[in-house]
Amino acid sequence: MVDLPKRKVGIISCSGEELAEGTVSRVATRWVLERLRQEQTVTLCLPLFLAGGKEERAFAKFFPTIAVDGCPKLCAARATAAYSAEPAARIVVSEIAARYPELKPESRRQLGPGGEELARRVAEEIAARVDQILAQPTRAKLVRLGEMGQPEPAHAGQDDAEPTAVCSCQGGGVPARAVLVAGSPVSILALEPIMQQLVAFGDGADGELRNKLLEMVKVYNPIPAEQEGLYAEALWREFLAYRQGGGSR
Amino acid sequence: MSKIIVIPCSGIGKAFGTIGREAAQIVVDEARPGVTDTVCLSALVMGDEETRSRVHGRRCITIDGCPVGCARKNVELAGGTVAKALRVVDVYKDHRDLKPRTVTELDEAGRALARILAQTITEEVDRIVEAE
């Protein structure tokens, strides 16, 4: 079976060194990654993100992210928006802490029982947002090849990353492939492994394979409802050529 | 004398990021609280004026969890002066028996590495202070 990349949510934590809320942000993020939503989330290293990590920035361009900030300066949220794409959700620890005044961290180094309970509640809010985001259809950016490499005014500092999304925890990219849709080149994420997987399915009826192809592509790519027919036709043409070439085109 | 700023990368993906953060906080909060301080690396890089003013023209000790060197690079980008750039991996190379296996809450090996690194940072702080 082909190991198809799964849609995940990236969590970007501020990790603010100065404040106990930064420690809460960091610990809550780790708990989500390790305990609450292990299979559905990855973390993106904020300092590396800011220093110009192309892989981290590319991930956030194609997959939804949650920014977790310790204080109202919102460094994680602003960095994500500035260098990659607007986060799908924002969590601010100081706002959650205001709802639970009895839960106070002992220090920025030692959270203590109150701080740990606060981190647990923050983690639960992050996990709830993860569930909400994954329940929605993909809002990944539709990349038309003519737009690639052109700076977007709203995203200052955007790099010229190839249309490849990288999952930090896996260290592998999600490949993109150009497909002509109604004569216009469109970059389709994960098409190659999807087609590989369909070929591996064997002798399914063409109609069934065609529907399955479209459904799998939609997991990773936003397809306008009114253009589904055009995409289905283009994808099927691509798949037939791929299958005829022995799965190596 | 202005305080020396100790800035860890706080990398969240691996134990070395946590160790650097823990070591920095040991120095700033316990070992040399009078002569050191820390700032939020993210705020510094995002251009927060108050944070930048605290770093500008001051000596910084950066602590990085991986070879990418995000703390050092970001402090340099923000106009800080890196007096010493330390890497957690260098401490680990000298103490390979201490292999940390947890990230969120350090295990005993991770805490031991953090204490050793904190001692190294403290010595650097003292050296800078003596040189003034």
Side-chain angles (χ1 to χ4, degrees):
Chain A
M1 177 64 73
V2 177
D3 186 17
L4 197 63
K6 293 180 175 60
R7 187 169 173 237
K8 295 193 176 192
V9 175
I11 305 178
I12 303 176
S13 167
C14 81
S15 286
E17 288 82 3
E18 263 195 280
L19 306 170
E21 287 82 356
T23 306
V24 171
S25 165
R26 177 186 179 84
V27 169
T29 296
R30 290 291 322 181
W31 282 351
V32 174
L33 293 158
E34 292 173 355
R35 305 176 190 178
L36 301 182
R37 298 295 182 272
Q38 193 174 9
E39 297 296 321
Q40 296 93 346
T41 55
V42 296
T43 190
L44 308 175
C45 205
L46 184 58
L48 178 59
F49 193 71
L50 295 170
K54 287 187 176 180
E55 292 185 349
E56 278 72 11
R57 292 181 185 184
F59 179 95
K61 281 177 187 168
F62 289 99
F63 290 92
T65 54
I66 298 174
V68 185
D69 278 297
C71 79
K73 287 182 178 176
L74 304 179
C75 294
R78 289 192 299 117
T80 309
Y83 293 112
S84 191
E86 198 67 36
R90 300 178 180 206
I91 301 276
V92 184
V93 172
S94 58
E95 292 176 3
I96 296 173
R99 302 205 304 261
Y100 305 106
E102 73 280 13
L103 301 178
K104 292 203 178 301
E106 288 177 6
S107 70
R108 57 190 175 193
R109 191 169 156 230
Q110 300 287 343
L111 289 182
E116 288 187 4
E117 178 60 20
L118 177 60
R120 190 182 65 76
R121 297 191 189 193
V122 172
E124 285 172 353
E125 295 216 11
I126 299 171
R129 298 296 182 90
V130 170
D131 295 343
Q132 286 172 3
I133 290 166
L134 290 179
Q136 296 168 355
T138 179
R139 290 195 294 179
K141 182 186 167 194
L142 184 66
V143 178
R144 293 195 178 275
L145 295 186
E147 298 171 348
M148 284 166 46
Q150 293 179 8
E152 295 171 41
H155 297 163
Q158 177 177 334
D159 59 44
D160 56 353
E162 295 297 313
T164 298
V166 173
C167 174
S168 285
C169 71
Q170 296 171 339
V174 181
R177 183 178 176 122
V179 174
L180 281 177
V181 179
S184 179
V186 175
S187 183
I188 303 290
L189 270 181
L191 181 56
E192 185 98 13
I194 288 172
M195 293 194 298
Q196 198 178 347
Q197 185 161 319
L198 281 180
V199 168
F201 280 158
D203 298 329
D206 277 1
E208 184 187 343
L209 286 178
R210 183 179 166 126
N211 290 338
K212 194 177 283 289
L213 174 64
L214 181 63
E215 288 308 309
M216 292 173 78
V217 166
K218 280 167 66 177
V219 172
Y220 302 95
N221 301 271
I223 294 181
E226 68 277 11
Q227 294 182 30
E228 273 198 12
L230 294 172
Y231 273 78
E233 187 181 331
L235 291 169
W236 184 243
R237 190 174 58 242
E238 195 74 11
F239 176 72
L240 289 178
Y242 179 84
R243 190 170 63 179
Q244 196 170 10
S248 60
R249 180 173 176 265
Chain B
M1 178 197 150
S2 59
K3 288 187 175 182
I4 298 160
I5 311 296
V6 182
I7 307 177
C9 75
S10 288
I12 196 169
K14 293 183 173 61
F16 283 178
T18 310
I19 290 167
R21 179 186 180 90
E22 173 94 356
Q25 290 177 341
I26 290 172
V27 174
V28 174
D29 292 344
E30 298 172 13
R32 294 294 182 272
V35 294
T36 60
D37 199 359
T38 191
V39 298
C40 290
L41 181 59
S42 301
L44 178 68
V45 179
M46 287 308 292
D48 178 66
E49 278 306 316
E50 187 260 337
T51 307
R52 275 180 177 260
S53 67
R54 288 168 58 196
V55 169
H56 188 71
R58 292 191 184 172
R59 265 82 49 86
C60 301
I61 297 175
T62 59
I63 304 154
D64 278 298
C66 81
V68 178
C70 293
R72 177 182 58 76
K73 284 181 185 173
N74 282 319
V75 168
E76 287 172 348
L77 283 171
T81 303
V82 178
K84 186 71 179 180
L86 296 169
R87 301 190 313 168
V88 181
V89 68
D90 292 331
V91 177
Y92 175 65
K93 281 177 183 171
D94 293 335
H95 301 85
R96 290 191 182 276
D97 53 316
L98 298 174
K99 188 173 178 57
R101 298 185 186 282
T102 57
V103 180
T104 310
E105 294 153 8
L106 292 174
D107 56 13
E108 186 45 48
R111 287 195 294 273
L113 275 178
R115 286 193 294 272
I116 294 166
L117 178 56
Q119 181 59 37
T120 303
I121 300 167
T122 303
E123 290 167 4
E124 286 296 332
V125 169
D126 292 346
R127 187 184 59 76
I128 293 169
V129 171
E130 284 173 15
E132 288 199 334

